[in-house]
Amino acid sequence: MSAAIPAVSPLITAVVGAARLDVCMADITTLTADTIVNAANRSLLGGGGVDGAIHRAAGPDLLAECRTLGGCETGSAKITRGYRLPAKHVIHAVGPVWRGGAAGEDELLASCYRTALDLAGKHRLGSIAFPAISTGVYGFPADRAARIAVGTVAAELASADRGISYVAFCCFAQGAADHHVAAFADLGLS
């Protein structure tokens, strides 16, 4: 099982179970992790933000493979090869659109992270990098999303050995990074 650790300087690091967790600022399409997570839409056929960047960087073969998957339900994820990306695989996680917080958004977002970790474990991928799922055009409050992301990943890694030794919360903007660093502190991981 490979576990390449991206060559970026972490803003904060913690150890949970057998895994190192980092918050970093980087372009997720440049990371050499075994798998990166795509903040995908239900069609899995590309879009804007992280989704569009990953599809552009991976090239047309990613779209061709995604067309065979039949889409994906909100709160779930599917895996493909990474093609032209440094990452060997892409896990496409479909986060919820923010509707005010009373439509199960928190649980759907947590489910994205759990499903991605399950897929990484099943495929024996030792390192995984997550973007800030649902915080772009889907409008999920970034501070709330960061607490759900960090809390879910930490709880899952503490409760079960999936063979994952490295997790990056890869933030493109300083604000997202600040929310993830605060989530580490709030959860006592710093």
Side-chain angles (χ1 to χ4, degrees), residues 5 11 28 34 44 50 63 74 76 106 112 129 134 147 167 170:
I5 296 175
L11 301 173
I28 200 167
D34 292 336
L44 304 182
V50 172
L63 178 60
T74 301
S76 193
D106 288 0
C112 286
S134 284
R147 283 192 307 274
V167 176
C170 182

Side-chain angles (χ1 to χ4, degrees), residues 12 23 113 130-132 142 145-146 149-150 169 171 175-185:
I12 192 168
V23 174
Y113 288 91
F130 288 99
V150 173
F169 296 98
C171 304
D178 291 344
H179 291 306
H180 282 78
V181 168
F184 269 54

